[in-house]
Amino acid sequence: MPVVDIPGSKSITARALFLAAAADGVTTLRRPLRSDDTEGFAEGLTRLGYRVGRSPDAWQIDGRPEGPAVAEADVYCRDGATTARFLPTLAAAGHGSFRFDASPQMRRRPLLPLTRALRDLGVDLRHEEAEGHHPLRIEASGVEGGEVVLDAGQSSQYLTALLLLGPLTRKGLRIRVTDLVSAPYVEITIAMMREFGVEVRTEGSVYVVPSGGYRATTYGIEPDASTASYVFAAAAVTGGEVTVPGLGTGALQGDLGFVDVLRRMGAEVETDAHGTRVRGTGGLRGLTVNMRDISDTMPTLAAIAPFASGPVRIEDVGNTRVKECDRLEACAEGLRRLGVEVATGDDWIEIRPSDVPGATPVTGTEIKSYGDHRIVMSFAVTGLRVPGISFDDPGCVRKTFPGFHEAFAALRAQLPE
């Protein structure tokens, strides 16, 4: 039975880097993810004057509760949404002139609800080109705090950025949230803040964050649950069996809930304190599922949907249209290239099965990735059942899992044909 070691969580590594930089003392991060996104975050911290020491299995960060060590910096955030949203928020709590820019892909992604909230808190922030998008400049003089209203209906990262900022403000924060997507990611943030000495309170839709700063610690990064979805799906679609250690009953990440979707489709799932095992049973049932809280795994489900015995309808995932690409349309286009019948709406996608008598046979083709790592990794799972799938940009997986293709090829060799 294959046991697959999944790299560290991107979401947790990014939050841990922010917390470590803001904490009083030296923090050690064990098993951080090393990928383009997290290396970009660490490089951004370095540009802001933080000391980041990196060895193969651990990173050490000298925290600076007072903010960046430099009076001015120009930070390039690459493709990383967490980098592009969290680092300006961190810099705002310090003193100096800081400019942030990002890749063309990241420049297209929305930022306005967060930057509007920061301005409401008194931060001198200016978008240099398109309003609500990178590049932006902050003339930082610390943040007083107080109450602010936030719409996090496009991305939970807006709320996470403000939660992380709260302890660095002079008075603390009360964040009134009018809408929220991907709520489990906010739970990750709150749990991690607790490990760094801060307790967040909730009063209905209001998040109350005290001032007083963070304390340094040693923090272990759990495996990435979104990345694990590809190997779990691989087991389900081939009738094989896969175990991922380190992602068990105590896991922080909501995306582990993807295995519950596989269970509903007919796979066998076991989760204990040490990890999670998925075994395919030779068939997958169709279903209708709301994936609002685990939308990063929507492409994984879409990629195996053609092999279900009935239609697969995924609902409440409109926020996936403003990720690295419009993931709803990218999934639909890739599936149609394979001869699969697909329908989409503003926030849903429905895939009709192809692997049943009388249906259009699925055939191999080149999948257009739009530079999105999740599109490539998802359709790699489809490729376990469909020969001849290739990608226009296979290397874009370096964003979260540089060794994905090699690891997936090794897993493939251990799964049933």
Side-chain angles (χ1 to χ4, degrees), residues 175-226:
I175 309 160
R176 187 174 301 279
V177 178
T178 58
D179 192 18
L180 177 61
V181 71
S182 302
Y185 282 97
V186 176
E187 296 305 316
I188 294 173
T189 305
I190 292 171
M192 292 182 66
M193 288 171 69
R194 188 178 298 121
E195 293 295 313
F196 282 79
V198 173
E199 198 68 49
V200 176
R201 287 197 343 269
T202 54
E203 300 172 358
S205 60
V206 178
Y207 293 79
V208 183
V209 192
S211 62
Y214 297 102
R215 62 166 183 261
T217 187
T218 296
Y219 193 86
I221 310 293
E222 70 187 32
D224 194 296
S226 309

Side-chain angles (χ1 to χ4, degrees), residues 20-353:
D24 188 8
V26 179
T27 290
T28 300
L29 305 182
R30 301 203 183 284
R31 262 192 102 246
L33 173 65
R34 302 199 70 147
S35 72
D36 194 65
D37 268 15
T38 56
E39 294 280 1
F41 200 119
E43 178 187 287
L45 287 176
T46 302
R47 294 297 291 267
L48 291 169
Y50 296 88
R51 191 194 72 83
V52 182
R54 285 177 271 183
S55 65
D57 296 321
W59 290 354
Q60 280 197 332
I61 300 94
D62 283 7
R64 291 184 52 83
E66 66 274 30
V70 296
E72 56 183 83
D74 201 326
V75 178
Y76 181 63
C77 300
R78 304 191 193 180
D79 279 341
T82 48
T83 310
R85 292 162 179 169
F86 295 178
L87 284 185
T89 310
L90 176 66
H95 292 78
S97 180
F98 307 109
R99 182 179 182 273
F100 297 87
D101 200 359
S103 69
Q105 185 191 61
M106 189 60 224
R107 276 185 168 203
R108 289 191 294 270
R109 297 181 68 178
L111 198 65
L112 191 58
L114 174 60
T115 55
R116 185 179 283 145
L118 290 172
R119 284 170 173 163
D120 289 346
L121 289 167
V123 176
D124 181 353
L125 186 154
R126 179 169 57 88
H127 291 283
E128 293 185 345
E129 296 179 19
E131 183 66 13
H133 296 268
H134 281 79
L136 61 89
R137 182 176 291 279
I138 291 176
E139 302 298 332
S141 56
V143 181
E144 187 67 17
E147 183 150 343
V148 68
V149 177
L150 176 73
D151 179 348
Q154 277 183 327
S155 173
S156 64
Q157 289 177 4
Y158 306 151
L159 176 54
T160 281
L162 291 181
L163 289 170
L164 292 170
L165 171 66
L168 304 179
T169 64
R170 289 183 275 271
K171 297 192 322 196
L173 281 184
R174 287 179 60 87
I175 309 160
R176 187 174 301 279
V177 178
T178 58
D179 192 18
L180 177 61
V181 71
S182 302
Y185 282 97
V186 176
E187 296 305 316
I188 294 173
T189 305
I190 292 171
M192 292 182 66
M193 288 171 69
R194 188 178 298 121
E195 293 295 313
F196 282 79
V198 173
E199 198 68 49
V200 176
R201 287 197 343 269
T202 54
E203 300 172 358
S205 60
V206 178
Y207 293 79
V208 183
V209 192
S211 62
Y214 297 102
R215 62 166 183 261
T217 187
T218 296
Y219 193 86
I221 310 293
E222 70 187 32
D224 194 296
S226 309
T227 301
S229 74
Y230 311 116
V231 305
F232 291 140
V237 86
T238 60
E241 189 173 317
V242 167
T243 296
V244 174
L247 268 183
T249 47
L252 293 177
Q253 297 162 82
D255 276 6
L256 185 55
F258 180 73
V259 298
D260 296 324
V261 179
L262 295 178
R263 183 187 279 119
R264 285 179 59 192
M265 296 178 79
E268 290 181 359
V269 178
E270 285 182 19
T271 302
D272 61 23
H274 306 291
T276 297
R277 180 180 71 87
V278 171
R279 189 177 75 82
T281 55
L284 292 170
R285 294 189 288 270
L287 81 171
T288 297
V289 59
N290 183 311
M291 297 188 84
R292 180 182 178 87
D293 284 345
I294 56 170
S295 59
D296 274 351
T297 63
M298 178 277 291
T300 321
L301 180 56
I304 64 172
F307 312 115
S309 59
V312 172
R313 183 180 172 93
I314 307 169
E315 297 180 336
D316 209 357
V317 286
N319 69 309
T320 64
R321 291 190 178 277
V322 291
K323 296 284 190 174
E324 282 79 347
C325 69
D326 181 338
R327 285 183 178 158
L328 269 181
E329 288 309 320
C331 287
E333 181 190 3
L335 290 167
R336 288 183 183 123
R337 285 188 177 205
L338 293 167
V340 179
E341 186 184 344
V342 184
T344 59
D346 287 347
D347 67 349
W348 59 269
I349 181 169
E350 185 170 307
I351 301 109
R352 282 82 191 238

